[in-house]
Amino acid sequence: GGQPTEGQPTVPMIAAQIAAEGVKRIAVVADEDDRLPPAKALPPGVTRHTRDELDAVQKDLRAYEGPSVLIYDQVCATEKRRRRKRGSMAQPTRHVVINESVCENCGDCSTQSGCIAIEPVDTEFGRKRRINPTSCNVDLSCLKGFCPSFVTQAGPPAAPDADTHWQDRETEIAADLPEPVLPELGVWRGLFAGIGGGGIVTSGAILAMAAHLEGRAVKTLDFTGLAQKNGAVVAHVQIAADEAALDVVRIPLGGADLMLAADLAVAWQPGVLERNAKQAVVIGNMDLAATAEFKRDALLSIDAALHRRTIEKATDSGRSVWLHGVRLAERLFGNAQAMNTMLLGLAWQRGLVPVSEASILRAVELNGAAVKLNRRAFLWGRILAEKPELIAQVLQGLEEGPPADLDTLIAHRMQALTAYQSARYARRYARMIQQVKDREATVLGQPGRLTRAAAEGLYRLMAYKDEYEVARLHAAATYGEKPEFHMSPPLITRMDKATERRRKIAVPGSVALPLFRVLQHGRVVRGTLLDPFGYQAERRQERAMVEQYAADLHTALDRLRPDNLDTAVAIAELPDQIRGFGPVKDANRVKAMQRRTELLARLAHPPVTVAMAAE
């Protein structure tokens, strides 16, 4: 975890000690070749491996009779970011981005890498994935995901550039900010709830230092999740005029006056939420980070509104403030971690923090990290507290998911299918959806859940991402310096015997982009006898699924009743489970077809009639 270890043992020292204690089977695994110690430095019989071999090594040790030890050597993720920030570790020369329009949100990149820097992002075409530039460690293991959406670019990862329009205007906007009335200081208690690596502990420490500069008594306690990235982190900060008033370092149950909820999934947890007083005010970030479960479940429900409702039941909902903190920080500063200082500035402007602005800004200077950025973040927190109408203006243009209105959604998907293939192709889609819409209106009174599910499901199947579509989407995107596209093109790449997948290759942008611009026009032969890619089993299967889905929709419409609407909707939603490319998509298709069999059998059941006995 980056913490110093007593004795500072090296990998060879640990291996020698274990061997001396009688262990015969020892394996050393490192994330990079150059971290592996030379064989002569290790006891006889110790094997050396890179991280690519980790799974095979574990299986080998599992089968070994007797005790075995695996020594894994890799720089702690949090420590790596810290060293890079301080200049004691070289910055990476390349970083990864995901073309969200190509991404299918299948989750294979997370499965292959186990990386929490791969996050969900809501787009007009549903949930996709992105690389969080703030938390990315650039070990490039996500490239193993069987997906053509990954592109590497020169230089270290960087957040989207801040919108300079707002930086240019901030002095003007902040000119008339009123000074808040700070709370009288008896004993003040504040909770800072967030996730590891997000800077929430630093925010608590800054406030504690600010109070100390004013001669106040301060007690703090940090629960840091053992440096676990995305693990729960909670900082307790208590401030009083007299040291004797602070008898415990942990905020008592029902004692907190303020909670800065940088992550709502942490803020509502038992052990955190009940430490707030009923009159506690919450400054909450509605951009909920995905939990570790997201690595296993691409469709995991991430519902910040649910957490908010839970928190509001236990606190002062009338005075609390909720905003998209991460999105605002990235748009205003190009740095998601600035959110914490922004939330602190918002709380201060609301008169919820018993320390002066001068002391807080001095504490920011003493901390020494990104001083100018954090001063701006504190100022913008004040601005947004006084002028909340600016929030919508700052976030204007950011996607928040598919169109909510059903007719708008259908029109949007028709437009996308026209770009994908042709207006004729889009009209075929529209005719099918109109049938669903009419039938649902006849049976249930108005179109709704079933029509929306069918509109999304049919679009997903009809707009399958073949070579022409991937080329079109990449050709339409803008990339940074020296892009390389990591793909496994058919007819070119060979199968990897270990993974039973086609191997991925890196294609320089100077080669790939001109090829994409030409290949995208091949959509005119898509699915015809002239389509060289259309003879692949995967492409034939994709075309067959469109026809099968249309037949299933007709079956569901013929048998639609109010009591089996849920089953019909589940059938219409099946394409959402068939995500990914190549073997990933095929495995998901098999699961979806098993589910299809169950749902069609359920749909065939006649309605249950309950006989009532006569009195």
Side-chain angles (χ1 to χ4, degrees):
Q3 293 86 357
T5 306
E6 186 175 354
Q8 296 184 335
T10 63
V11 169
M13 290 168 61
I14 296 171
Q17 177 180 337
I18 293 169
E21 292 173 357
V23 177
K24 304 298 183 185
R25 179 68 176 96
I26 303 171
V28 174
V29 181
D31 62 331
E32 301 289 348
D33 283 327
D34 57 8
R35 292 189 68 86
L36 286 170
K40 62 182 180 181
L42 297 168
V46 176
T47 58
R48 303 178 306 146
H49 314 268
T50 58
R51 185 172 63 179
D52 290 342
E53 304 171 79
L54 179 60
D55 188 57
V57 171
Q58 292 180 97
K59 290 177 180 177
D60 179 63
L61 298 186
R62 181 178 65 187
Y64 179 77
E65 293 292 337
S68 59
V69 171
L70 188 156
I71 304 172
Y72 186 85
D73 182 21
Q74 177 176 318
V75 177
C76 159
T78 303
E79 180 67 13
K80 185 180 288 187
R81 286 191 301 276
R82 186 181 297 121
R83 290 179 187 178
R84 284 172 174 161
K85 186 182 294 185
R86 295 174 179 174
S88 59
M89 176 179 280
Q91 291 287 350
T93 57
R94 298 195 69 78
H95 68 281
V96 184
V97 295
I98 294 176
N99 184 327
E100 294 168 7
S101 59
V102 177
C103 171
E104 286 272 287
N105 188 38
C106 68
D108 191 52
C109 52
S110 294
T111 300
Q112 300 300 322
S113 66
C115 181
I116 50 76
I118 302 172
E119 298 180 337
V121 56
D122 290 328
T123 75
E124 58 185 340
F125 291 102
R127 180 181 293 177
K128 303 299 185 81
R129 298 194 177 212
R130 72 162 194 162
I131 305 291
N132 184 325
T134 304
S135 58
C136 177
N137 288 315
V138 204
D139 67 1
L140 306 183
S141 58
C142 54
L143 295 178
K144 297 176 184 177
F146 196 87
C147 173
S149 68
F150 285 87
V151 184
T152 52
Q153 300 176 160
D161 291 337
D163 188 340
T164 56
H165 166 78
W166 297 106
Q167 183 172 357
D168 295 340
R169 290 191 57 202
E170 66 187 35
T171 301
E172 165 204 341
I173 296 172
D176 57 348
L177 287 178
E179 291 294 318
V181 178
L182 303 185
E184 294 183 7
L185 188 62
V187 176
W188 180 91
R189 298 182 173 96
L191 279 172
F192 293 69
I195 56 176
I200 195 69
V201 169
T202 301
S203 294
I206 285 173
L207 182 58
M209 173 56 72
H212 173 73
L213 292 174
E214 295 185 352
R216 310 292 180 87
V218 182
K219 283 193 176 181
T220 63
L221 177 65
D222 298 331
F223 292 88
T224 59
L226 298 178
Q228 180 185 14
K229 178 61 184 162
N230 271 25
V233 171
V234 182
H236 297 233
V237 179
Q238 299 184 81
I239 303 173
D242 183 3
E243 185 75 35
L246 303 178
D247 51 351
V248 292
V249 292
R250 180 183 297 194
I251 293 176
L253 296 176
D257 303 293
L258 170 70
M259 179 167 65
L260 292 189
D263 190 271
L264 300 190
V266 177
W268 78 273
Q269 287 182 359
V272 179
L273 184 56
E274 65 257 37
R275 297 197 179 277
N276 290 283
K278 185 63 180 174
Q279 67 274 16
V281 178
V282 180
I283 310 297
N285 166 38
M286 292 294 289
D287 293 322
L288 191 61
T291 63
E293 185 62 27
F294 179 65
K295 292 187 295 185
R296 295 180 288 274
D297 182 5
L299 303 179
L300 178 71
S301 175
I302 302 174
D303 191 351
L306 175 62
H307 296 325
R308 171 180 172 174
R309 291 193 294 271
T310 302
I311 295 170
E312 285 183 323
K313 291 177 182 177
T315 56
D316 187 345
S317 61
R319 292 199 297 155
S320 295
V321 179
W322 309 90
L323 71 169
H324 289 289
V326 171
R327 300 183 205 180
L328 285 165
E330 289 184 344
R331 178 60 66 91
L332 290 169
F333 319 113
N335 189 316
Q337 287 190 332
M339 170 191 67
N340 299 303
T341 310
M342 183 178 70
L343 297 183
L344 180 60
L346 195 156
W348 186 86
Q349 186 66 28
R350 287 293 185 102
L352 302 171
V353 179
V355 181
S356 70
E357 178 185 28
S359 296
I360 293 174
L361 295 181
R362 176 56 181 156
V364 167
E365 293 175 1
L366 292 174
N367 181 58
V371 174
K372 182 178 179 180
L373 172 66
N374 281 295
R375 290 178 68 92
R376 289 190 59 223
F378 187 84
L379 175 62
W380 268 100
R382 294 187 59 198
I383 291 171
L384 297 179
E386 287 295 329
K387 303 177 180 181
E389 68 277 4
L390 288 178
I391 293 175
Q393 297 179 37
V394 173
L395 296 180
Q396 187 175 8
L398 292 183
E399 300 291 348
E400 294 189 18
D405 178 71
L406 181 57
D407 289 335
T408 303
L409 172 69
I410 295 170
H412 181 276
R413 297 300 186 255
M414 285 186 64
Q415 183 180 16
L417 286 171
T418 300
Y420 174 86
Q421 181 68 41
S422 65
R424 179 182 179 184
Y425 196 64
R427 288 194 295 271
R428 177 188 173 192
Y429 165 87
R431 285 193 297 271
M432 184 70 232
I433 298 306
Q434 188 62 47
Q435 293 176 34
V436 179
K437 191 175 182 181
D438 292 343
R439 178 61 176 165
E440 187 177 18
T442 299
V443 176
L444 301 173
Q446 61 180 4
R449 291 171 54 206
L450 181 58
T451 305
R452 174 171 283 273
E456 292 282 35
L458 184 58
Y459 171 80
R460 171 173 285 279
L461 292 181
M462 291 182 69
Y464 59 88
K465 293 190 174 75
D466 58 5
E467 290 76 9
Y468 309 117
E469 179 65 357
V470 170
R472 184 180 75 88
L473 296 174
H474 273 312
T478 302
Y479 296 104
E481 186 180 355
K482 296 180 180 179
E484 286 187 345
F485 297 82
H486 296 259
M487 320 181 89
S488 53
L491 312 177
I492 298 176
T493 51
R494 297 181 179 180
M495 293 294 292
D496 187 320
K497 293 181 180 179
T499 64
E500 297 183 349
R501 296 179 172 188
R502 291 198 307 269
R503 292 174 178 167
K504 296 185 74 174
I505 59 174
V507 184
S510 58
V511 175
L513 287 171
L515 180 62
F516 291 153
R517 295 185 187 110
V518 173
L519 185 58
Q520 64 178 327
H521 299 296
R523 66 181 182 272
V524 297
V525 299
R526 176 185 282 129
T528 71
L529 295 176
L530 299 178
D531 181 1
F533 301 108
Y535 294 98
Q536 300 174 85
E538 183 178 354
R539 299 292 167 255
R540 294 198 302 268
Q541 186 64 252
E542 286 166 336
R543 294 195 297 270
M545 282 193 295
V546 175
E547 304 305 325
Q548 182 185 72
Y549 183 72
D552 290 346
L553 279 182
H554 281 299
T555 300
L557 295 180
D558 290 341
R559 299 173 179 175
L560 184 62
R561 304 184 306 270
D563 63 290
N564 66 11
L565 174 63
D566 289 345
T567 302
V569 170
I571 291 173
E573 290 176 339
L574 280 174
D576 199 39
Q577 300 178 24
I578 311 174
R579 295 171 175 266
F581 297 83
V584 177
K585 185 171 188 176
D586 193 54
N588 287 332
R589 182 189 61 80
V590 170
K591 294 177 183 177
M593 291 304 99
Q594 293 172 348
R595 174 67 171 158
R596 169 182 175 266
T597 300
E598 298 170 3
L599 292 171
L600 288 176
R602 187 186 306 170
L603 194 67
H605 291 162
V608 177
T609 302
V610 179
M612 301 297 292
E615 294 185 3

